[in-house]
Amino acid sequence: MKALIIGATGATGKELVEQLLEDSSYTSVSIFVRRSFGKSNPKLTEHIVDFSDVNSFQDLITGDVLFSCLGTTLKDAGSKDNQWKIDFEIPAAFAASAKKNQVNSFVLVSTYGASSKSSVFYSKMKGKLEEHIRDLQFPQYIIFRPGPLIRQNTDRLGEKISVKILKALNAMGLFKNLKPISTAFLAQKLAKAPKILPKDTVTLELDQIIEL
């Protein structure tokens, strides 16, 4: 299979690149990035692009499966408008081009609680993205809804604290649906999913991700 990735420089995306390069089922891995990924591999093709103009390079979005790991925090984005552009508009544009170019599988990293009807901005945005891509009718569409992610060497203090709290609560049998998982573990499941799941729309909640 020929894999495409957006969000390859993020914590999950980096792990996914490594997983796909080591997986013999994937013959090539093409990543779309704003800056160089800094890795060389015979299977890896790096496209440094302007994400604000996906139409200018849509002919490069060809392959068998597109993984979307793109996402940011409100703090890093600076505003809800910027976060919407990164978390919704860019993946939506890539999805449209992928569908046009007959990419058969789309794998989306969403979030726990994603719903277009949510009163929470982030959850609502992710839910709207899920629905937008679903309407494109990919032969295989896989949505991952993990809870909090454990990022290696993260510098986000709030993230470190929340993960520790959740782990303590999980040990007490509480909030199991928000059990933190590592980005490396998530990447393993992302790489595996298109190979074993049916040609259909599948939404994986945390317990299903763990069991995959």
Side-chain angles (χ1 to χ4, degrees):
M1 290 191 292
K2 296 180 179 180
L4 313 168
I5 306 176
I6 56 174
T9 58
T12 300
K14 286 180 180 178
E15 297 282 3
L16 179 59
V17 171
E18 297 295 337
Q19 287 288 330
L20 298 182
L21 291 178
E22 294 176 5
D23 190 330
S24 60
S25 297
Y26 294 92
T27 56
S28 68
V29 180
S30 294
I31 61 174
F32 296 83
V33 291
R34 292 186 178 88
R35 59 186 184 278
S36 178
F37 188 75
K39 184 179 182 64
S40 178
N41 186 287
K43 286 172 60 172
L44 182 65
T45 300
E46 180 179 79
H47 300 296
I48 299 177
V49 300
D50 177 3
F51 282 92
S52 67
D53 187 15
V54 175
N55 288 335
S56 67
F57 57 87
Q58 67 175 357
D59 59 317
L60 299 175
I61 307 173
T62 59
D64 299 303
V65 53
L66 172 57
F67 295 91
S68 176
C69 304
L70 194 62
T72 188
T73 63
L74 181 58
K75 180 180 179 181
D76 289 343
S79 69
K80 288 183 178 179
D81 284 344
N82 283 338
Q83 190 175 26
W84 178 269
K85 289 177 182 177
I86 295 169
D87 280 51
F88 182 93
E89 292 183 4
I90 294 174
F94 267 88
S97 293
K99 177 63 176 179
K100 181 179 179 181
N101 293 341
Q102 298 182 323
V103 175
N104 286 323
S105 180
F106 194 101
V107 182
L108 174 68
V109 178
S110 186
T111 190
Y112 169 79
S115 171
S116 61
K117 297 179 181 179
S118 176
S119 60
V120 179
F121 172 74
Y122 186 76
S123 299
K124 185 174 185 176
M125 175 177 62
K126 291 297 188 181
K128 283 183 173 292
L129 178 61
E130 289 183 6
E131 291 182 0
H132 180 86
I133 297 172
R134 184 181 291 113
D135 289 343
L136 294 174
Q137 297 184 331
F138 282 89
Q140 184 185 52
Y141 177 36
I142 305 169
I143 302 167
F144 278 73
R145 291 180 178 170
L149 296 176
I150 304 170
R151 297 171 174 84
Q152 188 175 12
N153 301 321
T154 181
D155 58 356
R156 299 174 184 174
L157 180 59
E159 185 176 279
K160 291 179 179 179
I161 294 173
S162 64
V163 166
K164 286 183 178 180
I165 291 173
L166 280 171
K167 282 185 174 180
L169 292 171
N170 292 164
M172 298 167 61
L174 302 173
F175 296 101
K176 289 291 187 178
N177 58 340
L178 287 175
K179 180 181 179 180
I181 59 175
S182 71
T183 52
F185 180 81
L186 177 58
Q188 291 174 8
K189 302 300 184 175
L190 289 168
K192 184 179 181 181
K195 299 187 293 182
I196 67 169
L197 293 180
K199 293 292 188 290
D200 199 352
T201 295
V202 180
T203 300
L204 301 174
E205 302 292 351
L206 178 60
D207 57 341
Q208 296 164 309
I209 294 172
I210 293 172
E211 294 173 2
L212 185 66

